[in-house]
Amino acid sequence: MFKNMRRWLSVLVAVFLAAALTAGCGGKQDQKKEEPKADKKFVNIATGGTAGVYYPLGGAIAEILNKNIPGVNATAQSTGASVANINALKDGSAQVAFVQNDIAFYAANGTEMFKDKKVDGLKGLASLYPETIQIVTLEKTGIKDVAGMKGKRVAVGAAGSGTEANARQILEAYGITYKDIKAQYLSFAEAANNLKDGNIDAAFVTAGFPTAAIQDIAAQHKIVLIPVSGDSADRLMKQYPFYTKVTIPARTYTNQDTDVAAVAVQSMLAVTDKMDAQMAYDITKAIFGNLDRLQAAHAVGKMITKASARNGMSIPLHPGAEKFFKE
Ligand code: GLU
């Protein structure tokens, strides 16, 4: 029996040696190049719909990581956005996620749509830029305010989006529920197409502006942005403290002639505590060392800075990111 085993062992060793020799043929340099491949680190970045802002920024971040962190293979994936992205972090199908700071807070604390579904171990990498809740309609619908949406077909965001939560909360602040409207769960691109075709009357879009989906509608129709202001905005902010007041300046979109009062939340990048400190540090450093690339990807890129990267952070920072910000 021992003899047999020895023979097997020597065969194994011979095979192993042969394999090693073949692999070694290319010389030392090749061997060096092969090394990082052995432990390629896959980083899938969960973004949002293709007509939003997360998606182009996510693509830019994937490029930055691939270029700057040896051994990393980063990809950006189109998704239903914030809520879906948190679930992707939880089940391990994404390692980095774009999320709204309100949604990250609900997930980390088990409230709102995460009631009884608290997500443990969520960590922040960086706070990015304001995302404004833009309510868009066509001038020809005659809808001028939130109250005017009663009975109408309204796109409230994709299923699993943060937009959808914002739509519900804003309508509620105006005393309107989904029972009073015909809610449609559509991505920004679907909402834009349906609004242009007259299949829906208004759409909620929570994203940095200008948002591609709204630019697309405004290129063909006179749009109206419905304001969120006054007592209702105050009521909203009292109940959900992540909202802040902002103005969508005139001419953000074609033929939009006046400033529009609105509310905004903050976008951020989230990871989990399964990511080690070195990786979180490397990712944060690579992003903030290549902000020009984000600026090229979208106008909101200019609002992403190291100085503001902890503002509005609603969950604990990952220690690796924290180390970078302290430098
Ligand atoms: N904030 C949006 C959401 O989570 C997505 C924004 C975007 O895709 O740029 O619903």
Side-chain angles (χ1 to χ4, degrees):
M1 161 132 182
F2 271 117
K3 227 172 149 191
N4 248 347
M5 209 145 115
R6 269 230 296 274
R7 192 174 315 138
W8 271 112
L9 267 179
S10 54
V11 170
L12 263 181
V13 168
V15 169
F16 184 76
L17 273 179
L21 273 176
T22 327
C25 285
K28 243 191 179 165
Q29 249 185 339
D30 267 9
Q31 253 181 16
K32 246 195 207 153
K33 261 197 238 149
E34 297 283 330
E35 261 169 30
K37 237 191 205 166
D39 54 15
K40 269 254 180 246
K41 292 238 163 65
F42 289 94
V43 178
N44 189 27
I45 306 169
T47 64
T50 53
V53 179
Y54 290 176
Y55 185 72
L57 288 180
I61 290 178
E63 258 182 59
I64 292 172
L65 303 189
N66 285 331
K67 249 193 213 147
N68 293 281
I69 313 179
V72 157
N73 183 350
T75 44
Q77 186 194 343
S78 161
T79 71
S82 294
V83 179
N85 293 355
I86 299 255
N87 289 327
L89 281 182
K90 188 180 166 190
D91 71 22
S93 59
Q95 287 67 45
V96 176
F98 279 81
V99 287
Q100 297 177 193
N101 66 343
D102 51 342
I103 307 297
F105 180 86
Y106 300 146
N109 293 281
T111 57
E112 298 289 317
M113 70 289 283
F114 288 97
K115 190 164 164 36
D116 302 323
K117 286 182 276 187
K118 183 171 180 280
V119 181
D120 291 322
L122 273 187
K123 300 284 174 202
L125 266 198
S127 185
L128 299 175
Y129 59 89
E131 296 192 83
T132 301
I133 295 89
Q134 306 163 85
I135 312 174
V136 58
T137 185
L138 307 187
E139 190 181 46
K140 64 181 176 205
T141 66
I143 302 173
K144 290 191 170 57
D145 48 27
V146 177
M149 288 200 279
K150 271 194 186 163
K152 305 288 184 188
R153 300 160 300 177
V154 181
V156 294
S161 65
T163 304
E164 193 276 320
N166 301 139
R168 213 160 359 96
Q169 293 168 351
I170 289 173
L171 289 169
E172 174 195 306
Y174 281 85
I176 297 173
T177 71
Y178 278 5
K179 285 194 194 117
D180 306 312
I181 61 162
K182 297 187 185 89
Q184 318 251 336
Y185 297 86
L186 302 175
S187 72
F188 296 161
E190 288 165 342
N193 286 334
N194 281 290
L195 199 52
K196 286 191 293 187
D197 294 346
N199 298 327
I200 59 166
D201 304 299
F204 281 82
V205 174
T206 302
F209 58 68
T211 316
I214 303 180
Q215 285 175 313
D216 175 37
I217 307 165
Q220 291 181 28
H221 295 270
K222 172 106 172 92
I223 63 156
V224 170
L225 293 173
I226 297 169
V228 176
S229 56
D231 289 351
S232 301
D234 293 338
R235 216 173 9 252
L236 176 74
M237 289 165 60
K238 212 170 156 205
Q239 193 167 359
Y240 304 103
F242 288 104
Y243 289 105
T244 55
K245 287 188 181 175
V246 295
T247 300
I248 307 168
R251 281 172 289 284
T252 297
Y253 298 102
T254 309
N255 290 326
Q256 175 218 337
D257 307 325
T258 53
D259 288 357
V260 178
V263 290
V265 291
Q266 184 78 12
S267 64
M268 53 176 278
L269 291 175
V271 296
T272 71
D273 57 5
K274 288 207 186 78
M275 180 176 279
D276 63 53
Q278 186 63 47
M279 181 60 99
Y281 173 87
D282 288 346
I283 293 179
T284 315
K285 186 172 175 169
I287 293 172
F288 285 89
N290 291 279
L291 291 176
D292 55 330
R293 190 58 202 83
L294 298 188
Q295 286 155 15
H298 195 277
V300 296
K302 63 180 184 301
M303 286 186 270
I304 305 174
T305 65
K306 189 174 177 184
S308 64
R310 279 175 286 183
N311 299 349
M313 176 54 67
S314 58
I315 58 174
L317 263 188
H318 193 290
E322 197 160 13
K323 179 175 169 233
F324 171 73
F325 291 125
K326 280 192 180 139
E327 280 177 2

PDB file of all heavy atoms in Angstrom, residues 91-119:
ATOM      1  N   ASP A  91     -26.187  40.609  -0.283  1.00  0.00           N
ATOM      2  CA  ASP A  91     -26.040  39.229  -0.767  1.00  0.00           C
ATOM      3  C   ASP A  91     -24.694  38.990  -1.456  1.00  0.00           C
ATOM      4  O   ASP A  91     -24.435  37.909  -1.987  1.00  0.00           O
ATOM      5  CB  ASP A  91     -27.224  38.806  -1.653  1.00  0.00           C
ATOM      6  CG  ASP A  91     -27.244  39.503  -3.014  1.00  0.00           C
ATOM      7  OD1 ASP A  91     -26.189  39.976  -3.467  1.00  0.00           O
ATOM      8  OD2 ASP A  91     -28.328  39.571  -3.625  1.00  0.00           O
ATOM      9  N   GLY A  92     -23.833  40.006  -1.446  1.00  0.00           N
ATOM     10  CA  GLY A  92     -22.472  39.819  -1.952  1.00  0.00           C
ATOM     11  C   GLY A  92     -22.348  39.922  -3.462  1.00  0.00           C
ATOM     12  O   GLY A  92     -21.265  39.712  -4.004  1.00  0.00           O
ATOM     13  N   SER A  93     -23.428  40.275  -4.173  1.00  0.00           N
ATOM     14  CA  SER A  93     -23.307  40.390  -5.631  1.00  0.00           C
ATOM     15  C   SER A  93     -22.704  41.729  -6.048  1.00  0.00           C
ATOM     16  O   SER A  93     -22.327  41.917  -7.194  1.00  0.00           O
ATOM     17  CB  SER A  93     -24.656  40.152  -6.313  1.00  0.00           C
ATOM     18  OG  SER A  93     -25.604  41.084  -5.862  1.00  0.00           O
ATOM     19  N   ALA A  94     -22.617  42.677  -5.111  1.00  0.00           N
ATOM     20  CA  ALA A  94     -21.878  43.924  -5.365  1.00  0.00           C
ATOM     21  C   ALA A  94     -20.968  44.188  -4.175  1.00  0.00           C
ATOM     22  O   ALA A  94     -21.285  43.798  -3.037  1.00  0.00           O
ATOM     23  CB  ALA A  94     -22.838  45.086  -5.553  1.00  0.00           C
ATOM     24  N   GLN A  95     -19.820  44.817  -4.446  1.00  0.00           N
ATOM     25  CA  GLN A  95     -18.881  45.137  -3.368  1.00  0.00           C
ATOM     26  C   GLN A  95     -18.915  46.628  -3.041  1.00  0.00           C
ATOM     27  O   GLN A  95     -18.543  47.059  -1.958  1.00  0.00           O
ATOM     28  CB  GLN A  95     -17.453  44.717  -3.749  1.00  0.00           C
ATOM     29  CG  GLN A  95     -17.224  43.217  -3.723  1.00  0.00           C
ATOM     30  CD  GLN A  95     -18.001  42.484  -4.801  1.00  0.00           C
ATOM     31  OE1 GLN A  95     -18.037  42.896  -5.950  1.00  0.00           O
ATOM     32  NE2 GLN A  95     -18.656  41.399  -4.419  1.00  0.00           N
ATOM     33  N   VAL A  96     -19.315  47.435  -4.036  1.00  0.00           N
ATOM     34  CA  VAL A  96     -19.445  48.883  -3.831  1.00  0.00           C
ATOM     35  C   VAL A  96     -20.810  49.273  -4.379  1.00  0.00           C
ATOM     36  O   VAL A  96     -21.227  48.761  -5.427  1.00  0.00           O
ATOM     37  CB  VAL A  96     -18.338  49.659  -4.588  1.00  0.00           C
ATOM     38  CG1 VAL A  96     -18.540  51.167  -4.457  1.00  0.00           C
ATOM     39  CG2 VAL A  96     -16.947  49.266  -4.085  1.00  0.00           C
ATOM     40  N   ALA A  97     -21.520  50.162  -3.682  1.00  0.00           N
ATOM     41  CA  ALA A  97     -22.856  50.545  -4.157  1.00  0.00           C
ATOM     42  C   ALA A  97     -23.073  52.043  -4.061  1.00  0.00           C
ATOM     43  O   ALA A  97     -22.686  52.683  -3.076  1.00  0.00           O
ATOM     44  CB  ALA A  97     -23.922  49.823  -3.349  1.00  0.00           C
ATOM     45  N   PHE A  98     -23.666  52.592  -5.100  1.00  0.00           N
ATOM     46  CA  PHE A  98     -24.177  53.962  -5.026  1.00  0.00           C
ATOM     47  C   PHE A  98     -25.504  53.894  -4.286  1.00  0.00           C
ATOM     48  O   PHE A  98     -26.358  53.065  -4.627  1.00  0.00           O
ATOM     49  CB  PHE A  98     -24.461  54.492  -6.436  1.00  0.00           C
ATOM     50  CG  PHE A  98     -23.248  54.987  -7.167  1.00  0.00           C
ATOM     51  CD1 PHE A  98     -22.397  54.105  -7.808  1.00  0.00           C
ATOM     52  CD2 PHE A  98     -22.979  56.346  -7.216  1.00  0.00           C
ATOM     53  CE1 PHE A  98     -21.283  54.567  -8.495  1.00  0.00           C
ATOM     54  CE2 PHE A  98     -21.873  56.824  -7.908  1.00  0.00           C
ATOM     55  CZ  PHE A  98     -21.019  55.938  -8.548  1.00  0.00           C
ATOM     56  N   VAL A  99     -25.676  54.763  -3.301  1.00  0.00           N
ATOM     57  CA  VAL A  99     -26.954  54.806  -2.584  1.00  0.00           C
ATOM     58  C   VAL A  99     -27.242  56.224  -2.118  1.00  0.00           C
ATOM     59  O   VAL A  99     -26.334  57.034  -1.966  1.00  0.00           O
ATOM     60  CB  VAL A  99     -26.971  53.885  -1.324  1.00  0.00           C
ATOM     61  CG1 VAL A  99     -27.033  52.441  -1.708  1.00  0.00           C
ATOM     62  CG2 VAL A  99     -25.796  54.149  -0.420  1.00  0.00           C
ATOM     63  N   GLN A 100     -28.512  56.494  -1.895  1.00  0.00           N
ATOM     64  CA  GLN A 100     -28.891  57.756  -1.271  1.00  0.00           C
ATOM     65  C   GLN A 100     -28.604  57.642   0.226  1.00  0.00           C
ATOM     66  O   GLN A 100     -28.777  56.566   0.808  1.00  0.00           O
ATOM     67  CB  GLN A 100     -30.384  58.010  -1.477  1.00  0.00           C
ATOM     68  CG  GLN A 100     -30.754  58.167  -2.934  1.00  0.00           C
ATOM     69  CD  GLN A 100     -32.247  58.341  -3.153  1.00  0.00           C
ATOM     70  OE1 GLN A 100     -32.705  58.236  -4.284  1.00  0.00           O
ATOM     71  NE2 GLN A 100     -33.024  58.607  -2.093  1.00  0.00           N
ATOM     72  N   ASN A 101     -28.240  58.778   0.861  1.00  0.00           N
ATOM     73  CA  ASN A 101     -27.908  58.690   2.290  1.00  0.00           C
ATOM     74  C   ASN A 101     -29.133  58.356   3.152  1.00  0.00           C
ATOM     75  O   ASN A 101     -28.991  57.719   4.185  1.00  0.00           O
ATOM     76  CB  ASN A 101     -27.186  59.949   2.773  1.00  0.00           C
ATOM     77  CG  ASN A 101     -28.038  61.199   2.728  1.00  0.00           C
ATOM     78  OD1 ASN A 101     -29.077  61.263   2.065  1.00  0.00           O
ATOM     79  ND2 ASN A 101     -27.585  62.233   3.428  1.00  0.00           N
ATOM     80  N   ASP A 102     -30.333  58.745   2.700  1.00  0.00           N
ATOM     81  CA  ASP A 102     -31.530  58.400   3.478  1.00  0.00           C
ATOM     82  C   ASP A 102     -31.761  56.884   3.459  1.00  0.00           C
ATOM     83  O   ASP A 102     -32.011  56.260   4.490  1.00  0.00           O
ATOM     84  CB  ASP A 102     -32.769  59.165   2.965  1.00  0.00           C
ATOM     85  CG  ASP A 102     -32.995  59.048   1.458  1.00  0.00           C
ATOM     86  OD1 ASP A 102     -32.053  58.670   0.734  1.00  0.00           O
ATOM     87  OD2 ASP A 102     -34.115  59.342   0.991  1.00  0.00           O
ATOM     88  N   ILE A 103     -31.602  56.297   2.284  1.00  0.00           N
ATOM     89  CA  ILE A 103     -31.847  54.850   2.144  1.00  0.00           C
ATOM     90  C   ILE A 103     -30.790  54.055   2.919  1.00  0.00           C
ATOM     91  O   ILE A 103     -31.104  53.051   3.572  1.00  0.00           O
ATOM     92  CB  ILE A 103     -31.838  54.443   0.653  1.00  0.00           C
ATOM     93  CG1 ILE A 103     -32.813  55.316  -0.169  1.00  0.00           C
ATOM     94  CG2 ILE A 103     -32.132  52.956   0.483  1.00  0.00           C
ATOM     95  CD1 ILE A 103     -34.263  55.197   0.192  1.00  0.00           C
ATOM     96  N   ALA A 104     -29.525  54.516   2.875  1.00  0.00           N
ATOM     97  CA  ALA A 104     -28.460  53.833   3.627  1.00  0.00           C
ATOM     98  C   ALA A 104     -28.796  53.841   5.115  1.00  0.00           C
ATOM     99  O   ALA A 104     -28.627  52.843   5.817  1.00  0.00           O
ATOM    100  CB  ALA A 104     -27.116  54.522   3.376  1.00  0.00           C
ATOM    101  N   PHE A 105     -29.302  54.982   5.585  1.00  0.00           N
ATOM    102  CA  PHE A 105     -29.661  55.095   7.001  1.00  0.00           C
ATOM    103  C   PHE A 105     -30.788  54.117   7.360  1.00  0.00           C
ATOM    104  O   PHE A 105     -30.712  53.411   8.367  1.00  0.00           O
ATOM    105  CB  PHE A 105     -30.080  56.539   7.325  1.00  0.00           C
ATOM    106  CG  PHE A 105     -30.456  56.735   8.762  1.00  0.00           C
ATOM    107  CD1 PHE A 105     -29.488  57.012   9.719  1.00  0.00           C
ATOM    108  CD2 PHE A 105     -31.779  56.603   9.177  1.00  0.00           C
ATOM    109  CE1 PHE A 105     -29.836  57.167  11.062  1.00  0.00           C
ATOM    110  CE2 PHE A 105     -32.139  56.758  10.505  1.00  0.00           C
ATOM    111  CZ  PHE A 105     -31.163  57.045  11.456  1.00  0.00           C
ATOM    112  N   TYR A 106     -31.825  54.083   6.514  1.00  0.00           N
ATOM    113  CA  TYR A 106     -32.953  53.166   6.785  1.00  0.00           C
ATOM    114  C   TYR A 106     -32.452  51.716   6.840  1.00  0.00           C
ATOM    115  O   TYR A 106     -32.872  50.936   7.687  1.00  0.00           O
ATOM    116  CB  TYR A 106     -34.031  53.264   5.695  1.00  0.00           C
ATOM    117  CG  TYR A 106     -34.647  54.645   5.534  1.00  0.00           C
ATOM    118  CD1 TYR A 106     -35.058  55.104   4.283  1.00  0.00           C
ATOM    119  CD2 TYR A 106     -34.809  55.487   6.632  1.00  0.00           C
ATOM    120  CE1 TYR A 106     -35.622  56.367   4.123  1.00  0.00           C
ATOM    121  CE2 TYR A 106     -35.368  56.758   6.485  1.00  0.00           C
ATOM    122  CZ  TYR A 106     -35.769  57.189   5.225  1.00  0.00           C
ATOM    123  OH  TYR A 106     -36.311  58.428   5.069  1.00  0.00           O
ATOM    124  N   ALA A 107     -31.547  51.363   5.917  1.00  0.00           N
ATOM    125  CA  ALA A 107     -31.045  49.984   5.866  1.00  0.00           C
ATOM    126  C   ALA A 107     -30.230  49.659   7.118  1.00  0.00           C
ATOM    127  O   ALA A 107     -30.420  48.608   7.737  1.00  0.00           O
ATOM    128  CB  ALA A 107     -30.188  49.795   4.616  1.00  0.00           C
ATOM    129  N   ALA A 108     -29.335  50.581   7.499  1.00  0.00           N
ATOM    130  CA  ALA A 108     -28.453  50.324   8.640  1.00  0.00           C
ATOM    131  C   ALA A 108     -29.222  50.303   9.956  1.00  0.00           C
ATOM    132  O   ALA A 108     -28.776  49.709  10.932  1.00  0.00           O
ATOM    133  CB  ALA A 108     -27.344  51.376   8.685  1.00  0.00           C
ATOM    134  N   ASN A 109     -30.396  50.963   9.973  1.00  0.00           N
ATOM    135  CA  ASN A 109     -31.149  51.060  11.215  1.00  0.00           C
ATOM    136  C   ASN A 109     -32.444  50.249  11.213  1.00  0.00           C
ATOM    137  O   ASN A 109     -33.192  50.269  12.198  1.00  0.00           O
ATOM    138  CB  ASN A 109     -31.449  52.527  11.534  1.00  0.00           C
ATOM    139  CG  ASN A 109     -30.159  53.270  11.852  1.00  0.00           C
ATOM    140  OD1 ASN A 109     -29.629  53.164  12.944  1.00  0.00           O
ATOM    141  ND2 ASN A 109     -29.629  53.970  10.864  1.00  0.00           N
ATOM    142  N   GLY A 110     -32.708  49.582  10.104  1.00  0.00           N
ATOM    143  CA  GLY A 110     -33.910  48.736  10.038  1.00  0.00           C
ATOM    144  C   GLY A 110     -35.208  49.523  10.122  1.00  0.00           C
ATOM    145  O   GLY A 110     -36.118  49.123  10.862  1.00  0.00           O
ATOM    146  N   THR A 111     -35.291  50.620   9.390  1.00  0.00           N
ATOM    147  CA  THR A 111     -36.536  51.399   9.374  1.00  0.00           C
ATOM    148  C   THR A 111     -37.052  51.552   7.942  1.00  0.00           C
ATOM    149  O   THR A 111     -36.388  51.141   6.986  1.00  0.00           O
ATOM    150  CB  THR A 111     -36.323  52.805   9.993  1.00  0.00           C
ATOM    151  OG1 THR A 111     -35.281  53.463   9.268  1.00  0.00           O
ATOM    152  CG2 THR A 111     -35.953  52.723  11.459  1.00  0.00           C
ATOM    153  N   GLU A 112     -38.231  52.154   7.829  1.00  0.00           N
ATOM    154  CA  GLU A 112     -38.895  52.350   6.527  1.00  0.00           C
ATOM    155  C   GLU A 112     -38.937  51.040   5.729  1.00  0.00           C
ATOM    156  O   GLU A 112     -39.353  50.040   6.252  1.00  0.00           O
ATOM    157  CB  GLU A 112     -38.187  53.473   5.727  1.00  0.00           C
ATOM    158  CG  GLU A 112     -38.238  54.823   6.416  1.00  0.00           C
ATOM    159  CD  GLU A 112     -39.624  55.450   6.402  1.00  0.00           C
ATOM    160  OE1 GLU A 112     -40.301  55.421   5.380  1.00  0.00           O
ATOM    161  OE2 GLU A 112     -40.027  55.984   7.451  1.00  0.00           O
ATOM    162  N   MET A 113     -38.427  51.047   4.488  1.00  0.00           N
ATOM    163  CA  MET A 113     -38.536  49.821   3.661  1.00  0.00           C
ATOM    164  C   MET A 113     -37.645  48.689   4.204  1.00  0.00           C
ATOM    165  O   MET A 113     -37.763  47.551   3.759  1.00  0.00           O
ATOM    166  CB  MET A 113     -38.230  50.104   2.175  1.00  0.00           C
ATOM    167  CG  MET A 113     -36.802  50.430   1.840  1.00  0.00           C
ATOM    168  SD  MET A 113     -36.256  52.046   2.427  1.00  0.00           S
ATOM    169  CE  MET A 113     -36.996  53.132   1.258  1.00  0.00           C
ATOM    170  N   PHE A 114     -36.752  49.019   5.136  1.00  0.00           N
ATOM    171  CA  PHE A 114     -35.911  47.973   5.746  1.00  0.00           C
ATOM    172  C   PHE A 114     -36.406  47.598   7.150  1.00  0.00           C
ATOM    173  O   PHE A 114     -35.668  47.004   7.927  1.00  0.00           O
ATOM    174  CB  PHE A 114     -34.450  48.418   5.780  1.00  0.00           C
ATOM    175  CG  PHE A 114     -33.811  48.432   4.414  1.00  0.00           C
ATOM    176  CD1 PHE A 114     -33.733  49.606   3.684  1.00  0.00           C
ATOM    177  CD2 PHE A 114     -33.321  47.275   3.838  1.00  0.00           C
ATOM    178  CE1 PHE A 114     -33.159  49.626   2.416  1.00  0.00           C
ATOM    179  CE2 PHE A 114     -32.750  47.275   2.575  1.00  0.00           C
ATOM    180  CZ  PHE A 114     -32.672  48.454   1.860  1.00  0.00           C
ATOM    181  N   LYS A 115     -37.649  47.956   7.460  1.00  0.00           N
ATOM    182  CA  LYS A 115     -38.215  47.591   8.760  1.00  0.00           C
ATOM    183  C   LYS A 115     -38.183  46.062   8.871  1.00  0.00           C
ATOM    184  O   LYS A 115     -38.597  45.368   7.931  1.00  0.00           O
ATOM    185  CB  LYS A 115     -39.650  48.111   8.852  1.00  0.00           C
ATOM    186  CG  LYS A 115     -40.220  47.995  10.236  1.00  0.00           C
ATOM    187  CD  LYS A 115     -41.454  48.878  10.349  1.00  0.00           C
ATOM    188  CE  LYS A 115     -42.325  48.589  11.534  1.00  0.00           C
ATOM    189  NZ  LYS A 115     -41.699  48.211  12.764  1.00  0.00           N
ATOM    190  N   ASP A 116     -37.641  45.590   9.987  1.00  0.00           N
ATOM    191  CA  ASP A 116     -37.453  44.146  10.222  1.00  0.00           C
ATOM    192  C   ASP A 116     -36.465  43.508   9.233  1.00  0.00           C
ATOM    193  O   ASP A 116     -36.388  42.291   9.133  1.00  0.00           O
ATOM    194  CB  ASP A 116     -38.789  43.382  10.150  1.00  0.00           C
ATOM    195  CG  ASP A 116     -39.791  43.909  11.155  1.00  0.00           C
ATOM    196  OD1 ASP A 116     -39.350  44.262  12.267  1.00  0.00           O
ATOM    197  OD2 ASP A 116     -40.986  43.995  10.813  1.00  0.00           O
ATOM    198  N   LYS A 117     -35.767  44.342   8.464  1.00  0.00           N
ATOM    199  CA  LYS A 117     -34.778  43.787   7.516  1.00  0.00           C
ATOM    200  C   LYS A 117     -33.468  44.566   7.620  1.00  0.00           C
ATOM    201  O   LYS A 117     -32.838  44.890   6.617  1.00  0.00           O
ATOM    202  CB  LYS A 117     -35.323  43.883   6.080  1.00  0.00           C
ATOM    203  CG  LYS A 117     -36.420  42.873   5.786  1.00  0.00           C
ATOM    204  CD  LYS A 117     -36.897  42.966   4.350  1.00  0.00           C
ATOM    205  CE  LYS A 117     -37.936  44.045   4.223  1.00  0.00           C
ATOM    206  NZ  LYS A 117     -38.601  44.130   2.926  1.00  0.00           N
ATOM    207  N   LYS A 118     -33.100  44.902   8.837  1.00  0.00           N
ATOM    208  CA  LYS A 118     -31.885  45.678   9.090  1.00  0.00           C
ATOM    209  C   LYS A 118     -30.685  45.004   8.418  1.00  0.00           C
ATOM    210  O   LYS A 118     -30.550  43.779   8.474  1.00  0.00           O
ATOM    211  CB  LYS A 118     -31.684  45.715  10.610  1.00  0.00           C
ATOM    212  CG  LYS A 118     -30.529  46.512  11.106  1.00  0.00           C
ATOM    213  CD  LYS A 118     -30.661  46.606  12.639  1.00  0.00           C
ATOM    214  CE  LYS A 118     -29.561  47.386  13.265  1.00  0.00           C
ATOM    215  NZ  LYS A 118     -28.314  46.683  13.456  1.00  0.00           N
ATOM    216  N   VAL A 119     -29.843  45.812   7.780  1.00  0.00           N
ATOM    217  CA  VAL A 119     -28.663  45.242   7.119  1.00  0.00           C
ATOM    218  C   VAL A 119     -27.439  45.534   7.988  1.00  0.00           C
ATOM    219  O   VAL A 119     -27.051  46.689   8.177  1.00  0.00           O
ATOM    220  CB  VAL A 119     -28.480  45.852   5.705  1.00  0.00           C
ATOM    221  CG1 VAL A 119     -27.268  45.234   5.013  1.00  0.00           C
ATOM    222  CG2 VAL A 119     -29.735  45.631   4.864  1.00  0.00           C
TER     223      VAL A 119
END
